Amino acid sequence: MSGRDRQKAETRRLRKGGEYRADEVFASMPCTYLHAAACRLSSVAFRVFWLANANYRPPHSDKQRGRAVLAYSQIRYPLGADAKNTLEQQPGQSTIARALREVLASGFVELAAEGTRPRHSGGARGQAAEYHVPCREAGAQLPSQCQNLPRIGGKVRLHVNQMRGLAATLSPHALRALAVLISRSERDGRGTLLDTAPTAIGASDIARLIGIPRSTAHLVLRELVDRAHLCLAAPAAGRRSAKLRLGPKFRQFDRAARQKSPLRGATNTKLKPHRMPH
């Protein structure tokens, strides 16, 4: 069963009164919306948007809107505070608060219900804030500041546990860069890439798209290649940028695509300092 079929089956089961099972849910995001969020939002704000899609629960009826429960602790530790996180520094509460204000003001996420705190010991438990995610609803419109961006056909479908794992293990800039690379190519109804050729992209392109220094973009590409999220198909030579291709788990979203075997003709060698993409 493909990821799209699993998502439809889960939605039908929820509407019949079934319990929510996060381990069997895929997040389906329009490529245009994902590309716009990665290019326009800051790194921590995009992390909020990314995790809101991972925590999104579809509605039980067509008259309701789906919601995503997202707490500060989930934004800081997507896999849980006790899980192993490879990031050296996690965003603080003030940084997360600014990111939430930014993503709400931009229109990528809407506030559904404010969070509450327990008033005293032994009283009612606090509740995390709930958010609407417009890109997961039918007829979603891009925010006004993103209307001039190019339209990209198709949707990106990722498993929610995979999305949380990426947020917990990748640096904020690397997560944005990966989202841009995932969303740049058109996909079919199943989420499979229509153009499977390697893409010639360098640090200058990444720096221009997400607004980071070129030296930081070099580190971002190195990080993505080292973690096998990108495969180096052809190294950089002279002024020619390196040719990179997405890993198998980002090319199509069914059970067969999550296998660990590399693609035919793709290599996964580490980028050397003198061969860095530019």
Side-chain angles (χ1 to χ4, degrees):
M1 181 182 293
S2 65
R4 185 182 185 185
D5 295 336
R6 288 176 180 271
Q7 184 184 24
K8 289 183 177 180
E10 181 69 12
T11 302
R12 289 194 299 267
R13 192 183 61 81
L14 288 175
R15 290 183 177 179
K16 292 180 180 180
E19 295 182 357
Y20 179 79
R21 297 178 298 187
D23 294 340
E24 299 184 6
V25 175
F26 286 77
S28 179
M29 298 170 287
C31 291
T32 302
Y33 222 104
L34 180 61
H35 185 267
C39 293
R40 290 292 186 263
L41 296 176
S42 64
S43 297
V44 182
F46 177 76
R47 180 189 180 101
V48 173
F49 168 80
W50 181 269
L51 292 174
N53 278 274
N55 292 358
Y56 176 81
R57 297 187 179 187
H60 290 275
S61 64
D62 296 334
K63 297 181 181 180
Q64 299 176 350
R65 299 183 66 183
R67 296 190 177 192
V69 180
L70 193 59
Y72 274 50
S73 58
Q74 292 176 323
I75 298 174
R76 192 173 186 182
Y77 301 106
L79 297 178
D82 298 333
K84 183 179 180 180
N85 293 275
T86 60
L87 293 180
E88 296 180 358
Q89 295 182 353
Q90 303 294 338
Q93 290 189 0
S94 59
T95 304
I96 294 175
R98 288 194 300 267
L100 285 171
R101 290 194 295 267
E102 177 185 351
V103 74
L104 289 173
S106 63
F108 285 100
V109 173
E110 301 175 1
L111 181 63
E114 295 185 357
T116 59
R117 293 184 177 181
R119 296 184 179 274
H120 54 81
S121 178
R125 296 182 60 184
Q127 185 175 0
E130 298 182 1
Y131 302 93
H132 295 304
V133 186
C135 71
R136 304 293 297 275
E137 302 172 357
Q141 298 293 331
L142 280 173
S144 57
Q145 68 269 26
C146 303
Q147 295 294 334
N148 57 344
L149 291 177
R151 299 297 188 266
I152 307 174
K155 294 184 178 181
V156 174
R157 291 180 176 86
L158 294 173
H159 197 277
V160 294
N161 286 343
Q162 183 185 11
M163 294 180 66
R164 296 188 186 102
L166 290 172
T169 56
L170 289 178
S171 63
H173 292 321
L175 182 63
R176 287 179 65 200
L178 180 61
V180 169
L181 296 175
I182 291 174
S183 61
R184 288 188 69 182
S185 301
E186 292 189 4
R187 300 173 181 268
D188 60 9
R190 293 180 175 270
T192 305
L193 282 172
L194 298 179
D195 185 9
T196 58
T199 302
I201 189 169
S204 300
D205 300 324
I206 297 296
R208 174 178 53 84
L209 288 171
I210 64 177
I212 60 176
R214 184 177 173 181
S215 58
T216 306
H218 280 295
L219 300 177
V220 165
L221 288 178
R222 183 191 298 273
E223 179 181 355
L224 294 176
V225 172
D226 289 347
R227 294 186 177 275
H229 300 318
L230 293 179
C231 297
L232 182 62
R239 295 185 177 181
R240 186 183 63 187
S241 301
K243 288 188 177 182
L244 303 171
R245 72 168 80 235
L246 291 172
K249 52 190 174 183
F250 302 116
R251 293 165 64 89
Q252 58 184 6
F253 305 107
D254 53 14
R255 184 176 298 179
R258 296 198 297 271
Q259 59 186 0
K260 297 182 179 180
S261 59
L263 296 173
R264 179 181 300 178
T267 59
N268 193 27
T269 56
K270 295 184 178 180
L271 293 175
K272 298 180 181 180
H274 65 281
R275 288 292 189 180
M276 286 297 301
H278 57 82

